[in-house]
Amino acid sequence: MFKVKVYVTLRESVLDPQGAAVKHSLQSLNYNEVSEVRIGKYMELTIEKSERNVEDVVKEVCDRLLANPVIEDYRYEIEEVVAQ
């Protein structure tokens, strides 16, 4: 069994209005050290072992459902865990 952590973020070239709003709010609270905010998504998947390569499954899931490859990038971490 595998635990997969998936991080999805907007591409650098894509405007992030939610991140801009958070940055503005932080600066209005006098956190002027914060120069940029980008908002993303974090997901954890548990994937059972199968005949398919786990990395291939993760890439397919991300490309088909979890991320919009036109405007988002993703990265992931795969950790093998022992079933309990």
Side-chain angles (χ1 to χ4, degrees):
M1 166 180 320
F2 299 93
K3 180 177 180 181
V4 181
K5 298 176 183 178
V6 179
Y7 305 88
V8 179
T9 55
L10 288 172
R11 292 183 179 219
E12 287 294 323
S13 61
V14 176
L15 181 64
D16 184 356
Q18 189 177 11
V22 170
K23 175 187 167 191
H24 176 65
S25 295
L26 289 170
Q27 290 181 339
S28 71
L29 294 170
N30 292 320
Y31 292 105
N32 298 316
E33 306 87 352
V34 178
S35 61
E36 186 175 349
V37 176
R38 303 285 291 176
I39 301 296
K41 300 179 276 187
Y42 169 75
M43 291 153 271
E44 287 187 5
L45 309 174
T46 301
I47 300 177
E48 301 289 335
K49 285 188 178 183
S50 70
E51 311 81 48
R52 298 181 64 193
N53 179 306
V54 67
E55 194 159 334
D56 292 341
V57 172
V58 173
K59 286 180 183 178
E60 192 174 308
V61 166
C62 288
D63 287 336
R64 294 186 71 194
L65 181 66
L66 301 182
N68 178 344
V70 174
I71 62 169
E72 295 175 317
D73 290 322
Y74 64 86
R75 66 181 174 83
Y76 53 86
E77 301 167 6
I78 299 172
E79 175 184 337
E80 190 165 3
V81 293
V82 178
Q84 295 182 12

